[in-house]
């Protein structure tokens, strides 16, 4: 496992591609790792998204994904850089972390005690629009099947029920 900082390392994940794992027990409320990258404008972000999403559409299982993270109304962070191990954190429908933007920095913060060896994850918070483009492979007991923010689950469940 490649060590990212004192708390976490990066290795192959059973959820999807590469993941981030606890190197030691991490107490609830810890700043686990910062999501870093290039600060870019929203226009640059849109262009990058379009190019990356085209690759993703060709092979959803193999393509690692899009590493854009909203920083504020003007800027995003392009996390698709070699010095950003946090880009490998997978989504989960039962997350053990959440994100928080503190003074212009995106932090991954534990929302529960995490045991050594556990995979670090958070809810990506995607909107329900285009949910079909974002299948979820987290494998949690409450997995909804798509990477959609929990606040949208009731609406998504109704949509899925109508289609079946």
């Amino acid at each position: 496992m490649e060590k990212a900082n004192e708390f976490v390392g990066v290795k192959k994940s059973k959820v999807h591609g590469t993941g981030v794992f606890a190197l030691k027990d991490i107490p609830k409320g810890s700043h686990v790792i910062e999501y870093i990258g290039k600060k870019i404008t929203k226009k640059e972000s849109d262009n990058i998204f379009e190019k990356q999403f085209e690759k993703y559409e060709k092979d959803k299982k193999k393509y690692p994904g899009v590493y854009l993270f909203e920083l504020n109304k003007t800027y995003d962070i392009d996390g698709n850089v070699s010095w950003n191990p946090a880009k490998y954190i997978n989504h989960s429908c039962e997350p053990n972390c959440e994100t928080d933007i503190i003074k212009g920095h995106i932090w991954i913060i534990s929302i529960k005690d995490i045991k050594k060896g556990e995979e670090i994850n958070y809810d990506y918070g995607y909107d329900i629009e285009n949910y079909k483009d974002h299948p979820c492979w987290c494998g949690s007991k409450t997995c909804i099947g798509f990477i959609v923010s929990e606040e949208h689950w009731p609406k998504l469940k109704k949509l899925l029920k109508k289609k079946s």
Side-chain angles (χ1 to χ4, degrees), residues 44-146:
E44 290 172 304
S45 185
D46 289 344
N47 291 336
I48 290 168
F49 175 81
E50 289 301 320
K51 288 177 187 169
Q52 289 181 349
F53 197 72
E54 283 175 22
K55 291 178 186 174
Y56 174 73
E57 279 293 288
K58 289 179 184 171
D59 193 342
K60 290 182 174 120
K61 269 289 196 186
K62 286 186 180 176
Y63 187 70
V66 177
Y67 300 111
L68 299 168
F69 205 112
E70 184 174 0
L71 182 61
N72 56 40
K73 291 179 182 176
T74 308
Y75 295 103
D76 289 342
I77 296 294
D78 179 2
N80 195 16
V81 295
S82 61
W83 65 87
N84 181 27
K87 70 182 175 184
Y88 297 117
I89 298 174
N90 284 308
H91 163 85
S92 178
C93 295
E94 288 181 26
N96 54 21
C97 290
E98 64 185 7
T99 61
D100 196 8
I101 299 171
I102 303 167
K103 296 181 181 176
H105 296 270
I106 302 166
W107 284 99
I108 313 305
I109 301 171
S110 57
I111 56 173
K112 53 180 85 168
D113 291 337
I114 301 170
K115 298 277 186 218
K116 179 180 178 178
E118 260 186 80
E119 185 164 1
I120 306 301
N121 49 58
Y122 61 89
D123 178 351
Y124 285 5
Y126 288 175
D127 198 319
I128 197 165
E129 186 181 17
N130 303 317
Y131 72 91
K132 291 179 194 173
D133 292 331
H134 308 289
C136 181
W137 303 300
C138 76
S140 69
K141 292 176 186 170
T142 61
C143 182
I144 191 101
F146 297 92

